[in-house]
Amino acid sequence: ETGVTQSPTHLIKTRGQQVTLRCSSQSGHNTVSWYQQALGQGPQFIFQYYREEENGRGNFPPRFSGLQFPNYSSELNVNALELDDSALYLCASSLRGGYTFGSGTRLTVV
Amino acid sequence: GDSVTQMEGPVTLSEEAFLTINCTYTATGYPSLFWYVQYPGEGLQLLLKATKADDKGSNKGFEATYRKETTSFHLEKGSVQVSDSAVYFCALSSAPRGNQGGKLIFGQGTELSVKP
């Protein structure tokens, strides 16, 4: 098993910019979810993709969008970055309810 | 909506002390329950899980029992070590078993610090 890999590990962006975060799912996992973890808080569900289709969304604005590719890897895109978007972004892949998390991307918006 | 409430931290214990971290939940239906651990600078690691009432999840000396009557899933360990220092998250998923997996709803986390 290769596990879940996220890139980059750290990122600094300026308010108003756009950012793309990437996630490679664990081998065989067809579902990917993204979470935002603010400092000192629990992760908050952003959205989930199953076989390249969005399959559930949390309480995040449309400027948070995603893609899942045929190999089940995924991207999280955030437009018009705001200071409050600074957080750890976690990707989790799953198969039949078993979740595996990546180490996350630390995004800082200045 | 569904929610998870954990006891607030930080929790500071001496090595070999007994650990309890309380977790209660609110959910419709029959959720699966999880404990995740996060070490500094890292992502989340699954510690243990339980998928139905009265199930006991266990791993690395940690245990938690799914109590439907009290809607609780308290984490316990009989003798903690310095290496157990981390943040612990209780979570639930309301996806039906056999589904591809629904969203996880997390508590706010409890920081544990174990002193030698």
Side-chain angles (χ1 to χ4, degrees):
Chain A
E1 292 185 349
T2 56
V4 176
T5 304
Q6 292 188 242
S7 62
T9 54
H10 295 83
L11 199 54
I12 300 175
K13 288 287 190 178
T14 302
R15 189 172 48 184
Q17 285 188 313
Q18 179 267 344
V19 68
T20 297
L21 310 181
R22 295 180 173 83
C23 172
S24 294
S25 299
Q26 182 161 322
S27 178
H29 284 192
N30 55 19
T31 302
V32 65
S33 305
W34 286 90
Y35 292 81
Q36 180 195 67
Q37 186 180 14
L39 197 62
Q41 301 295 316
Q44 299 291 316
F45 175 73
I46 302 175
F47 44 57
Q48 177 176 275
Y49 280 80
Y50 172 63
R51 295 186 176 178
E52 303 177 58
E53 297 288 330
E54 188 177 293
N55 184 39
R57 188 177 182 92
N59 188 27
F60 281 81
R63 60 189 185 84
F64 286 78
S65 63
L67 284 172
Q68 187 183 29
F69 300 101
N71 65 355
Y72 301 138
S73 66
S74 175
E75 288 181 354
L76 164 65
N77 298 289
V78 187
N79 294 321
L81 283 167
E82 301 177 359
L83 297 179
D84 285 348
D85 296 333
S86 295
L88 180 68
Y89 288 85
L90 295 165
C91 168
S93 70
S94 61
L95 180 68
R96 292 190 295 275
Y99 307 86
T100 302
F101 280 83
S103 297
T105 294
R106 172 73 62 188
L107 172 66
T108 302
V109 182
V110 298
Chain B
D2 295 353
S3 65
V4 175
T5 302
Q6 290 180 234
M7 66 184 284
E8 292 190 12
V11 173
T12 302
L13 296 174
S14 297
E15 206 165 23
E16 300 184 2
F18 184 85
L19 168 71
T20 299
I21 300 178
N22 290 337
C23 171
T24 57
Y25 68 90
T26 301
T28 54
Y30 303 96
S32 294
L33 301 175
F34 306 82
W35 277 100
Y36 282 86
V37 58
Q38 187 173 37
Y39 297 100
E42 298 186 11
L44 298 174
Q45 298 178 24
L46 178 65
L47 183 58
L48 53 84
K49 68 178 183 181
T51 58
K52 62 183 187 297
D54 299 325
D55 268 3
K56 177 184 283 188
S58 61
N59 185 28
K60 300 180 181 179
F62 291 90
E63 293 184 338
T65 300
Y66 189 141
R67 301 287 189 197
K68 195 172 191 306
E69 64 277 13
T70 55
T71 61
S72 65
F73 193 55
H74 304 321
L75 182 68
E76 296 182 336
K77 187 175 185 182
S79 176
V80 294
Q81 305 301 312
V82 172
S83 57
D84 293 328
S85 298
V87 180
Y88 292 81
F89 293 94
C90 184
L92 69 81
S93 171
S94 292
R97 287 189 295 277
N99 196 351
Q100 69 272 18
K103 67 179 181 181
L104 287 167
I105 297 171
F106 289 88
Q108 73 272 30
T110 302
E111 182 179 0
L112 171 66
S113 178
V114 181
K115 307 297 184 185

